[in-house]
Amino acid sequence: MTQFLSSNLSLVVGALLLLVVVGIRVLTHDRDLMSDLRFAFFSMVAFLALRVTAFFVGPLLTGMPANLLRLAWMLTFAFGAIRFVVGVGLWALRARRRTPTPKILRDFISFTLYALASLPILKATLKIDLAGLVATSAILSVMLGFAMQETLGNLFAGLALQLERPFEVGDVVVVDQHTGKIAQVGWRATRIETFRNESITLPNNIIAKAGVKNFSRGGGPIGADMLLGLAYDVPPNRVKGAVLDTLREIPECLAEPAPTCRTVDFAESAVQYQVRFFARDFDTVSGVKEQLYTRLWYRFQQEGIEIPFPQRVLHMRQAASGPTQDTQELLGLLTSVDILALLKPEELRVLASEVLPRRFGAGERVITEGDHGNTFYVVASGEVSVRSGRPEVEVSRLGRGQYFGEMSLLTGAPRSATVVATQDTLLLEIGRPIFARVLASNPPLAKALAELLAQRRTELRAVAGTSPAEARAPEARRIFARLREIFALSEA
Ligand code: CMP
């Protein structure tokens, strides 16, 4: 190589290269290639100037000045040619892959080639054997190693990032708590421009260790999660309904993939819900979050859903002083149930204080066909579906003021059907001992129940496809006789 550089041929090649550089520079609009060609152009101009100077002045110079002049033209030619070849090579690669070339890759290739070209040139001109010096001097190697430890670590981390390609220039990423666009990947560090217009420079080895969340890969919608903490006394399905409804009102929130709201934790002061939604791109996500928080505040206010503060609950014992508002409400509901209307007001009041409120979410099973059971339920709010057979067929739907569970409770037989809440439902549960007491003091109630039981059995048989075993009236009489026996009832 040094022989070629010393010959006049290098002068001709240099001049030709300069022409090619100028030609391509005029034609191209690629910014990276233009910057490489600019460097190659000035190197070649410098080379030609030095070479022509050497041609005329060279014979007059001897010793160190002559060597330095040779060194200068050789280096300028080598550097210019290397930059030209690297620039054009990477441009061809870019044109094929249609992705920008990271600066670190350009620099790494160029500097490695500069170093490799400099070694023989230094040896030929100044008789300096750098490669041998570094290889044979252990102390120098160790010193260099220590001094460059951090820099080399960053350099290799940067190169590893380029090989793995977890991001490209222009990608929106989250790295080490910083969110922004990748502006440049350099030798030592990567520059991120945040959405607050800050420019953050992160050393490459920190990026390699911290991990990168890239929002610009895949080209699909961007998902985001939010946590909401809401009061314990609000049924989860109501919260979910309100949140999903509100999300549907926000145009930037995509319908597909559908947003979700999940109950994720019973936390100290609140039930935690995780809301997940998707938006077209990263820029839209924070807008949707803002809109959701704002709209939910109003929605929760309207629906009386409390957003609780951190709190502790203290339960104070209070001496009973007359019926509470809840008991009054229960009383009203129990009075509206047809068979319970047969009870005296005092009996109803006692019953109201004994029933257990039970909440069921939409889709939850209250009773399973074939199970044993000794509880009776009155629907206080919501709705249940009574299903029988296999596959299950709906026999009936029961709403506020209607009741179920009497068959097993009264006859001791296994549950005759499955009962499922079709929406969030509040049931009032009455246990066997309470029921037995109420029946004992109200024989007409047993008669009404026997009628009801006979009617429901007929309906179940119709669904099962079996013909009625006996007419309804005799069956009701038979059931009534059995009830009197089980509950030791007196003659009505
Ligand atoms: P039980 O058998 O204890 O449990 C299932 C309940 O479903 C049953 O009591 C009845 O209360 C109810 N059930 C059964 N058949 C009907 C029907 N045809 N209409 C309404 N409810 C019914």
Side-chain angles (χ1 to χ4, degrees), residues 137-300:
S137 165
I139 295 179
L140 190 65
S141 311
V142 171
M143 276 169 55
L144 264 179
F146 271 120
M148 298 187 69
Q149 198 179 25
E150 190 78 357
T151 316
L152 286 177
N154 280 325
L155 171 64
F156 286 118
L159 285 172
L161 287 178
Q162 285 316 313
L163 286 177
E164 282 175 27
R165 292 187 164 273
F167 49 71
E168 309 266 358
V169 171
D171 283 0
V172 177
V173 293
V174 176
V175 188
D176 200 27
Q177 299 166 359
H178 301 292
T179 306
K181 272 197 179 126
I182 297 283
Q184 192 187 63
V185 184
W187 276 91
R188 195 193 64 79
T190 295
R191 193 155 55 78
I192 296 175
E193 271 161 13
T194 71
F195 297 109
R196 291 187 296 268
N197 238 356
E198 303 151 327
S199 178
I200 293 175
T201 306
L202 285 170
N204 287 335
N205 54 7
I206 290 198
I207 296 183
K209 275 184 210 148
V212 181
K213 208 180 201 181
N214 192 337
F215 292 99
S216 303
R217 284 287 157 92
I222 304 286
D225 288 349
M226 286 163 67
L227 269 187
L228 296 176
L230 294 164
Y232 266 95
D233 58 359
V234 191
N237 284 336
R238 229 179 105 204
V239 173
K240 290 180 193 179
V243 170
L244 293 177
D245 235 33
T246 312
L247 272 169
R248 279 190 279 269
E249 286 168 7
I250 303 173
E252 291 84 5
C253 171
L254 298 180
E256 268 309 315
T260 55
C261 179
R262 296 193 171 96
T263 315
V264 287
D265 193 15
F266 293 137
E268 209 169 306
S269 312
V271 178
Q272 297 274 3
Y273 299 89
Q274 185 204 53
V275 183
R276 178 166 296 168
F277 65 85
F278 290 82
R280 207 181 56 251
D281 50 40
F282 190 83
D283 295 347
T284 331
V285 167
S286 49
V288 175
K289 277 190 183 176
E290 191 279 327
Q291 283 198 58
L292 184 62
Y293 277 128
T294 308
R295 286 175 189 237
L296 278 181
W297 189 91
Y298 292 104
R299 178 81 183 238
F300 289 158

Side-chain angles (χ1 to χ4, degrees), residues 367 386 395-396 398 403-409 414-417 419 456 459-460:
I367 277 176
V386 182
V395 187
S396 175
L398 307 174
Y403 40 87
F404 59 92
E406 76 293 336
M407 290 188 173
S408 292
L409 179 89
R415 295 290 193 192
S416 59
V419 180
R456 286 186 171 178
E459 282 169 14
L460 282 178

